[in-house]
Amino acid sequence: MTTPLNPQTVQRLAFIRFLYDQGIAQTRQPQPTAATSVLSFHDAAELFLILAGEHLQANLPTQINFAEYWTKLGPKLPLNTELPSKKAMERMNKLRVNLKHYGAVPSPTDIEQVRADVTTFFTDATSLIFGVDFHHVDMTDLVTDATAAKRLQDAQAKADAGDVIEALAELRAAFDDLLSDYAYRKKGPSLDKPFLFGPSVIPDFRVRSGMTTPESKMIDAITEMQKALRVIAVGINYRNYARFTMLVPTVHRNPDGKIASIHTHLVHDEFGMDEYQFCRQFVIEAALQISALDYDLDLWERNLQIARQRGDHVSGRVIIPDRPASSSDEDGPSTT
C-alpha cells in the first residue's frame, strides 16, 4: 500500500514530468541538438529517484552513484518487486556521461532507445512507488496563475473526452490571459503600459464592415507586431509561439472571459495528441517563464494617491500640482 501523496510530492512529480516532456520535445530536434534530450531525461530520472528515496524513507546518502539507487531503494519496495529498468537506466547514464564529460554525441538510434527506456521506467516506477499513472501527473500544479491553471485543467478534460479543438481553444485563451495579465499590471507614471507596445489600433469600422484596404493591412501588420513584441519581451520562444498560433483556433470571448465562439480552418481529424501536447507544453512553459519574470508595478496609482493627498488636480492622464508655478516651471505646470 502506497503512502498518500502530499502537495509537495505532487508538485515535484509534476516538475519531473515537465522535464520528461521537455526531453521528448528535444528528441524531435535535428542532430546534434537532439542529444540534449539525454541530459533532460537523466535529470528527470535522478530527481525521480531522489524523490522516491524520500517518499519510501530510504535514508539515501548525500553522495550516491546512479546505479546504487536500485540497491538502496529495493529493500523499501513491496515484497517480490524491484525497481524497474536498471540496465536500461545504466545505459542512459553512460550516454549522459559520455556526452557531458567526453563530448561523445549519441546517435539517433541511441536517442530513440533512451526515449523508449525512460518512458518505460517512469510508467512502471511511478505506479509502483507513488501509486499514480505517470502520464496523468498534472503539470498544472507548476502553474501559479489560478486562471491559467483552471483553463489548462479544462483543456485536458476536453482532450480526454475527444474534443481536441475545444481543448486547443482553452489553451489559446489561457495563453492570451497570461500575456494580457502580465502586460496590464505594469503601469508607468502616465498610465502607459510598456508591455502593450502602444494602444490597440483595430478600428470599429473594420470589425463592422470587414473592409480590406491598404490602411487595414497596415493595421493588421501593426497588431501582429505588437503581439510578437509582447511575446519576445517576456522571453518566450517566438518560433514555438508561431507554431502554437498555427495550431490553435481563433477564440472570441464574452466580456466575462468565457469563450463565445471558436473559429478554425483545421479539421478535427488532423490533430493527434502530439500537436495537443505541444500546445499544452507551450502554455505551461510560458506560464513558468512569465511567473519567473513577473512583478507588480503601478506607478500611475502610486502617483495618483500622492496627488490626492496633496490636493492636486487630475485631468485624464495628467496630474496638475495645486501650487503656483515656480521659477523652474518656465514651460508651464509640471506633469507626471
Side-chain angles (χ1 to χ4, degrees), residues 4-39:
L5 305 184
N6 58 45
Q8 291 76 24
T9 298
V10 172
Q11 189 174 55
R12 289 169 69 182
L13 274 175
F15 182 64
I16 290 164
R17 171 70 192 277
F18 175 80
L19 288 177
Y20 164 81
D21 281 358
Q22 180 174 276
I24 294 293
Q26 289 167 334
T27 63
R28 303 190 184 102
Q29 296 176 1
Q31 289 284 63
T33 53
T36 58
S37 62
V38 174
L39 304 178

mmCIF file of all heavy atoms in Angstrom, residues 4-39:
data_model
loop_
_atom_site.group_PDB
_atom_site.id
_atom_site.type_symbol
_atom_site.label_atom_id
_atom_site.label_comp_id
_atom_site.label_asym_id
_atom_site.label_seq_id
_atom_site.Cartn_x
_atom_site.Cartn_y
_atom_site.Cartn_z
ATOM 1 N N PRO A 4 0.005 8.089 0.982
ATOM 2 C CA PRO A 4 -0.689 9.181 0.273
ATOM 3 C C PRO A 4 0.296 10.294 -0.092
ATOM 4 O O PRO A 4 1.225 10.590 0.663
ATOM 5 C CB PRO A 4 -1.733 9.648 1.304
ATOM 6 C CG PRO A 4 -1.947 8.470 2.208
ATOM 7 C CD PRO A 4 -0.626 7.769 2.279
ATOM 8 N N LEU A 5 0.074 10.917 -1.221
ATOM 9 C CA LEU A 5 0.977 11.956 -1.700
ATOM 10 C C LEU A 5 0.575 13.313 -1.148
ATOM 11 O O LEU A 5 -0.583 13.704 -1.221
ATOM 12 C CB LEU A 5 0.964 12.007 -3.235
ATOM 13 C CG LEU A 5 1.278 10.697 -3.965
ATOM 14 C CD1 LEU A 5 1.312 10.940 -5.471
ATOM 15 C CD2 LEU A 5 2.597 10.103 -3.490
ATOM 16 N N ASN A 6 1.566 14.021 -0.591
ATOM 17 C CA ASN A 6 1.296 15.377 -0.121
ATOM 18 C C ASN A 6 1.463 16.359 -1.289
ATOM 19 O O ASN A 6 2.008 16.010 -2.334
ATOM 20 C CB ASN A 6 2.208 15.737 1.053
ATOM 21 C CG ASN A 6 3.688 15.629 0.704
ATOM 22 O OD1 ASN A 6 4.122 16.093 -0.350
ATOM 23 N ND2 ASN A 6 4.469 15.006 1.582
ATOM 24 N N PRO A 7 0.997 17.601 -1.128
ATOM 25 C CA PRO A 7 1.079 18.567 -2.243
ATOM 26 C C PRO A 7 2.495 18.800 -2.751
ATOM 27 O O PRO A 7 2.699 19.004 -3.955
ATOM 28 C CB PRO A 7 0.487 19.848 -1.633
ATOM 29 C CG PRO A 7 -0.412 19.367 -0.539
ATOM 30 C CD PRO A 7 0.253 18.146 0.025
ATOM 31 N N GLN A 8 3.491 18.764 -1.853
ATOM 32 C CA GLN A 8 4.874 18.989 -2.281
ATOM 33 C C GLN A 8 5.359 17.860 -3.194
ATOM 34 O O GLN A 8 6.042 18.095 -4.193
ATOM 35 C CB GLN A 8 5.785 19.110 -1.059
ATOM 36 C CG GLN A 8 5.577 20.366 -0.233
ATOM 37 C CD GLN A 8 4.326 20.308 0.630
ATOM 38 O OE1 GLN A 8 3.860 19.226 0.969
ATOM 39 N NE2 GLN A 8 3.791 21.476 0.979
ATOM 40 N N THR A 9 4.979 16.623 -2.836
ATOM 41 C CA THR A 9 5.361 15.477 -3.668
ATOM 42 C C THR A 9 4.699 15.555 -5.038
ATOM 43 O O THR A 9 5.332 15.295 -6.068
ATOM 44 C CB THR A 9 4.972 14.160 -2.966
ATOM 45 O OG1 THR A 9 5.676 14.053 -1.724
ATOM 46 C CG2 THR A 9 5.315 12.959 -3.839
ATOM 47 N N VAL A 10 3.433 15.932 -5.059
ATOM 48 C CA VAL A 10 2.706 16.068 -6.325
ATOM 49 C C VAL A 10 3.362 17.129 -7.203
ATOM 50 O O VAL A 10 3.547 16.940 -8.416
ATOM 51 C CB VAL A 10 1.224 16.421 -6.066
ATOM 52 C CG1 VAL A 10 0.525 16.765 -7.373
ATOM 53 C CG2 VAL A 10 0.515 15.267 -5.375
ATOM 54 N N GLN A 11 3.748 18.238 -6.604
ATOM 55 C CA GLN A 11 4.378 19.308 -7.372
ATOM 56 C C GLN A 11 5.734 18.865 -7.924
ATOM 57 O O GLN A 11 6.091 19.186 -9.062
ATOM 58 C CB GLN A 11 4.528 20.555 -6.514
ATOM 59 C CG GLN A 11 4.974 21.788 -7.299
ATOM 60 C CD GLN A 11 4.978 23.045 -6.472
ATOM 61 O OE1 GLN A 11 5.610 23.101 -5.417
ATOM 62 N NE2 GLN A 11 4.278 24.064 -6.946
ATOM 63 N N ARG A 12 6.492 18.125 -7.119
ATOM 64 C CA ARG A 12 7.795 17.654 -7.589
ATOM 65 C C ARG A 12 7.636 16.614 -8.698
ATOM 66 O O ARG A 12 8.415 16.582 -9.657
ATOM 67 C CB ARG A 12 8.599 17.104 -6.417
ATOM 68 C CG ARG A 12 9.073 18.206 -5.469
ATOM 69 C CD ARG A 12 9.646 17.656 -4.181
ATOM 70 N NE ARG A 12 10.908 16.955 -4.378
ATOM 71 C CZ ARG A 12 11.583 16.359 -3.389
ATOM 72 N NH1 ARG A 12 11.102 16.398 -2.145
ATOM 73 N NH2 ARG A 12 12.729 15.752 -3.640
ATOM 74 N N LEU A 13 6.622 15.761 -8.593
ATOM 75 C CA LEU A 13 6.334 14.824 -9.675
ATOM 76 C C LEU A 13 5.951 15.578 -10.954
ATOM 77 O O LEU A 13 6.326 15.184 -12.058
ATOM 78 C CB LEU A 13 5.195 13.880 -9.280
ATOM 79 C CG LEU A 13 5.571 12.619 -8.502
ATOM 80 C CD1 LEU A 13 4.315 11.871 -8.080
ATOM 81 C CD2 LEU A 13 6.483 11.709 -9.319
ATOM 82 N N ALA A 14 5.223 16.665 -10.778
ATOM 83 C CA ALA A 14 4.831 17.480 -11.934
ATOM 84 C C ALA A 14 6.062 18.075 -12.609
ATOM 85 O O ALA A 14 6.140 18.136 -13.843
ATOM 86 C CB ALA A 14 3.876 18.587 -11.496
ATOM 87 N N PHE A 15 7.045 18.505 -11.812
ATOM 88 C CA PHE A 15 8.266 19.063 -12.392
ATOM 89 C C PHE A 15 9.059 17.980 -13.113
ATOM 90 O O PHE A 15 9.629 18.224 -14.197
ATOM 91 C CB PHE A 15 9.121 19.703 -11.306
ATOM 92 C CG PHE A 15 10.378 20.340 -11.826
ATOM 93 C CD1 PHE A 15 10.321 21.426 -12.686
ATOM 94 C CD2 PHE A 15 11.627 19.838 -11.476
ATOM 95 C CE1 PHE A 15 11.479 22.006 -13.181
ATOM 96 C CE2 PHE A 15 12.793 20.417 -11.965
ATOM 97 C CZ PHE A 15 12.712 21.507 -12.821
ATOM 98 N N ILE A 16 9.092 16.777 -12.555
ATOM 99 C CA ILE A 16 9.767 15.653 -13.210
ATOM 100 C C ILE A 16 9.086 15.341 -14.540
ATOM 101 O O ILE A 16 9.751 15.123 -15.561
ATOM 102 C CB ILE A 16 9.761 14.422 -12.279
ATOM 103 C CG1 ILE A 16 10.702 14.672 -11.088
ATOM 104 C CG2 ILE A 16 10.163 13.156 -13.031
ATOM 105 C CD1 ILE A 16 10.493 13.727 -9.921
ATOM 106 N N ARG A 17 7.762 15.355 -14.534
ATOM 107 C CA ARG A 17 7.011 15.138 -15.781
ATOM 108 C C ARG A 17 7.324 16.252 -16.792
ATOM 109 O O ARG A 17 7.430 16.006 -18.000
ATOM 110 C CB ARG A 17 5.521 15.096 -15.471
ATOM 111 C CG ARG A 17 4.607 15.092 -16.694
ATOM 112 C CD ARG A 17 4.663 13.789 -17.469
ATOM 113 N NE ARG A 17 4.008 13.945 -18.760
ATOM 114 C CZ ARG A 17 2.695 13.851 -18.971
ATOM 115 N NH1 ARG A 17 1.879 13.577 -17.943
ATOM 116 N NH2 ARG A 17 2.194 14.003 -20.167
ATOM 117 N N PHE A 18 7.482 17.467 -16.297
ATOM 118 C CA PHE A 18 7.824 18.603 -17.152
ATOM 119 C C PHE A 18 9.174 18.379 -17.829
ATOM 120 O O PHE A 18 9.330 18.586 -19.037
ATOM 121 C CB PHE A 18 7.839 19.883 -16.325
ATOM 122 C CG PHE A 18 8.297 21.100 -17.081
ATOM 123 C CD1 PHE A 18 7.436 21.772 -17.924
ATOM 124 C CD2 PHE A 18 9.602 21.562 -16.955
ATOM 125 C CE1 PHE A 18 7.855 22.893 -18.634
ATOM 126 C CE2 PHE A 18 10.028 22.684 -17.644
ATOM 127 C CZ PHE A 18 9.148 23.343 -18.492
ATOM 128 N N LEU A 19 10.177 17.937 -17.063
ATOM 129 C CA LEU A 19 11.497 17.665 -17.634
ATOM 130 C C LEU A 19 11.439 16.514 -18.635
ATOM 131 O O LEU A 19 12.106 16.545 -19.672
ATOM 132 C CB LEU A 19 12.490 17.338 -16.521
ATOM 133 C CG LEU A 19 12.944 18.494 -15.624
ATOM 134 C CD1 LEU A 19 13.875 17.971 -14.534
ATOM 135 C CD2 LEU A 19 13.646 19.573 -16.443
ATOM 136 N N TYR A 20 10.641 15.509 -18.315
ATOM 137 C CA TYR A 20 10.478 14.375 -19.234
ATOM 138 C C TYR A 20 9.881 14.844 -20.560
ATOM 139 O O TYR A 20 10.381 14.503 -21.638
ATOM 140 C CB TYR A 20 9.583 13.316 -18.590
ATOM 141 C CG TYR A 20 9.038 12.295 -19.556
ATOM 142 C CD1 TYR A 20 9.804 11.217 -19.972
ATOM 143 C CD2 TYR A 20 7.735 12.421 -20.056
ATOM 144 C CE1 TYR A 20 9.295 10.281 -20.868
ATOM 145 C CE2 TYR A 20 7.220 11.501 -20.942
ATOM 146 C CZ TYR A 20 7.999 10.431 -21.351
ATOM 147 O OH TYR A 20 7.498 9.511 -22.239
ATOM 148 N N ASP A 21 8.826 15.653 -20.497
ATOM 149 C CA ASP A 21 8.189 16.156 -21.715
ATOM 150 C C ASP A 21 9.140 17.067 -22.497
ATOM 151 O O ASP A 21 9.136 17.082 -23.732
ATOM 152 C CB ASP A 21 6.915 16.919 -21.371
ATOM 153 C CG ASP A 21 5.745 15.993 -21.084
ATOM 154 O OD1 ASP A 21 5.929 14.768 -21.200
ATOM 155 O OD2 ASP A 21 4.664 16.482 -20.737
ATOM 156 N N GLN A 22 9.956 17.808 -21.757
ATOM 157 C CA GLN A 22 10.966 18.643 -22.411
ATOM 158 C C GLN A 22 11.950 17.761 -23.182
ATOM 159 O O GLN A 22 12.350 18.081 -24.306
ATOM 160 C CB GLN A 22 11.703 19.464 -21.361
ATOM 161 C CG GLN A 22 12.777 20.384 -21.919
ATOM 162 C CD GLN A 22 13.375 21.268 -20.831
ATOM 163 O OE1 GLN A 22 12.842 22.311 -20.492
ATOM 164 N NE2 GLN A 22 14.481 20.837 -20.251
ATOM 165 N N GLY A 23 12.329 16.655 -22.564
ATOM 166 C CA GLY A 23 13.222 15.703 -23.238
ATOM 167 C C GLY A 23 12.578 15.103 -24.479
ATOM 168 O O GLY A 23 13.237 14.958 -25.523
ATOM 169 N N ILE A 24 11.297 14.767 -24.385
ATOM 170 C CA ILE A 24 10.581 14.224 -25.545
ATOM 171 C C ILE A 24 10.617 15.221 -26.701
ATOM 172 O O ILE A 24 10.872 14.860 -27.858
ATOM 173 C CB ILE A 24 9.125 13.885 -25.182
ATOM 174 C CG1 ILE A 24 9.072 12.728 -24.168
ATOM 175 C CG2 ILE A 24 8.316 13.548 -26.420
ATOM 176 C CD1 ILE A 24 9.539 11.402 -24.717
ATOM 177 N N ALA A 25 10.364 16.498 -26.390
ATOM 178 C CA ALA A 25 10.389 17.538 -27.429
ATOM 179 C C ALA A 25 11.785 17.676 -28.026
ATOM 180 O O ALA A 25 11.945 17.880 -29.243
ATOM 181 C CB ALA A 25 9.926 18.865 -26.844
ATOM 182 N N GLN A 26 12.803 17.538 -27.189
ATOM 183 C CA GLN A 26 14.181 17.672 -27.678
ATOM 184 C C GLN A 26 14.574 16.525 -28.602
ATOM 185 O O GLN A 26 15.415 16.703 -29.494
ATOM 186 C CB GLN A 26 15.135 17.764 -26.493
ATOM 187 C CG GLN A 26 15.032 19.088 -25.743
ATOM 188 C CD GLN A 26 15.742 19.057 -24.405
ATOM 189 O OE1 GLN A 26 15.916 17.990 -23.792
ATOM 190 N NE2 GLN A 26 16.171 20.219 -23.931
ATOM 191 N N THR A 27 13.984 15.347 -28.421
ATOM 192 C CA THR A 27 14.311 14.221 -29.316
ATOM 193 C C THR A 27 13.883 14.498 -30.746
ATOM 194 O O THR A 27 14.409 13.878 -31.686
ATOM 195 C CB THR A 27 13.643 12.914 -28.845
ATOM 196 O OG1 THR A 27 12.215 13.049 -28.899
ATOM 197 C CG2 THR A 27 14.083 12.541 -27.442
ATOM 198 N N ARG A 28 12.950 15.418 -30.945
ATOM 199 C CA ARG A 28 12.457 15.728 -32.285
ATOM 200 C C ARG A 28 13.300 16.793 -32.983
ATOM 201 O O ARG A 28 13.049 17.111 -34.139
ATOM 202 C CB ARG A 28 10.993 16.192 -32.214
ATOM 203 C CG ARG A 28 10.045 15.185 -31.548
ATOM 204 C CD ARG A 28 8.610 15.599 -31.720
ATOM 205 N NE ARG A 28 7.713 14.691 -31.019
ATOM 206 C CZ ARG A 28 7.152 14.955 -29.850
ATOM 207 N NH1 ARG A 28 7.382 16.118 -29.258
ATOM 208 N NH2 ARG A 28 6.348 14.089 -29.268
ATOM 209 N N GLN A 29 14.252 17.358 -32.269
ATOM 210 C CA GLN A 29 15.111 18.365 -32.867
ATOM 211 C C GLN A 29 16.163 17.694 -33.752
ATOM 212 O O GLN A 29 16.467 16.512 -33.586
ATOM 213 C CB GLN A 29 15.782 19.198 -31.774
ATOM 214 C CG GLN A 29 14.813 20.017 -30.937
ATOM 215 C CD GLN A 29 15.497 20.762 -29.812
ATOM 216 O OE1 GLN A 29 16.714 20.692 -29.664
ATOM 217 N NE2 GLN A 29 14.714 21.463 -29.011
ATOM 218 N N PRO A 30 16.727 18.439 -34.697
ATOM 219 C CA PRO A 30 17.768 17.848 -35.552
ATOM 220 C C PRO A 30 19.047 17.583 -34.763
ATOM 221 O O PRO A 30 19.286 18.201 -33.718
ATOM 222 C CB PRO A 30 17.994 18.930 -36.615
ATOM 223 C CG PRO A 30 17.562 20.208 -35.968
ATOM 224 C CD PRO A 30 16.426 19.837 -35.062
ATOM 225 N N GLN A 31 19.839 16.689 -35.263
ATOM 226 C CA GLN A 31 21.150 16.427 -34.661
ATOM 227 C C GLN A 31 22.061 17.629 -34.893
ATOM 228 O O GLN A 31 21.954 18.276 -35.936
ATOM 229 C CB GLN A 31 21.783 15.172 -35.269
ATOM 230 C CG GLN A 31 21.102 13.884 -34.848
ATOM 231 C CD GLN A 31 21.456 13.478 -33.431
ATOM 232 O OE1 GLN A 31 21.141 14.189 -32.483
ATOM 233 N NE2 GLN A 31 22.092 12.332 -33.294
ATOM 234 N N PRO A 32 22.961 17.953 -33.979
ATOM 235 C CA PRO A 32 23.228 17.250 -32.725
ATOM 236 C C PRO A 32 22.396 17.763 -31.540
ATOM 237 O O PRO A 32 22.563 17.297 -30.425
ATOM 238 C CB PRO A 32 24.712 17.542 -32.490
ATOM 239 C CG PRO A 32 24.883 18.926 -33.036
ATOM 240 C CD PRO A 32 23.984 19.018 -34.232
ATOM 241 N N THR A 33 21.503 18.756 -31.780
ATOM 242 C CA THR A 33 20.770 19.332 -30.649
ATOM 243 C C THR A 33 19.823 18.328 -29.995
ATOM 244 O O THR A 33 19.481 18.477 -28.820
ATOM 245 C CB THR A 33 19.970 20.571 -31.097
ATOM 246 O OG1 THR A 33 19.143 20.223 -32.220
ATOM 247 C CG2 THR A 33 20.896 21.704 -31.497
ATOM 248 N N ALA A 34 19.420 17.302 -30.742
ATOM 249 C CA ALA A 34 18.559 16.274 -30.149
ATOM 250 C C ALA A 34 19.245 15.571 -28.983
ATOM 251 O O ALA A 34 18.582 15.004 -28.101
ATOM 252 C CB ALA A 34 18.151 15.256 -31.211
ATOM 253 N N ALA A 35 20.577 15.621 -28.952
ATOM 254 C CA ALA A 35 21.324 14.966 -27.873
ATOM 255 C C ALA A 35 21.028 15.577 -26.510
ATOM 256 O O ALA A 35 21.219 14.923 -25.477
ATOM 257 C CB ALA A 35 22.819 15.030 -28.159
ATOM 258 N N THR A 36 20.560 16.833 -26.476
ATOM 259 C CA THR A 36 20.246 17.455 -25.185
ATOM 260 C C THR A 36 19.122 16.714 -24.472
ATOM 261 O O THR A 36 18.964 16.843 -23.259
ATOM 262 C CB THR A 36 19.840 18.930 -25.372
ATOM 263 O OG1 THR A 36 18.709 19.009 -26.254
ATOM 264 C CG2 THR A 36 20.990 19.734 -25.961
ATOM 265 N N SER A 37 18.357 15.935 -25.209
ATOM 266 C CA SER A 37 17.281 15.156 -24.584
ATOM 267 C C SER A 37 17.833 14.183 -23.547
ATOM 268 O O SER A 37 17.179 13.920 -22.524
ATOM 269 C CB SER A 37 16.494 14.389 -25.644
ATOM 270 O OG SER A 37 17.331 13.456 -26.315
ATOM 271 N N VAL A 38 19.014 13.658 -23.799
ATOM 272 C CA VAL A 38 19.616 12.718 -22.847
ATOM 273 C C VAL A 38 19.853 13.392 -21.500
ATOM 274 O O VAL A 38 19.630 12.799 -20.440
ATOM 275 C CB VAL A 38 20.935 12.145 -23.415
ATOM 276 C CG1 VAL A 38 21.632 11.276 -22.379
ATOM 277 C CG2 VAL A 38 20.669 11.356 -24.693
ATOM 278 N N LEU A 39 20.286 14.656 -21.539
ATOM 279 C CA LEU A 39 20.509 15.396 -20.296
ATOM 280 C C LEU A 39 19.197 15.643 -19.560
ATOM 281 O O LEU A 39 19.126 15.507 -18.335
ATOM 282 C CB LEU A 39 21.212 16.719 -20.600
ATOM 283 C CG LEU A 39 22.537 16.628 -21.369
ATOM 284 C CD1 LEU A 39 23.092 18.021 -21.632
ATOM 285 C CD2 LEU A 39 23.550 15.786 -20.599
#
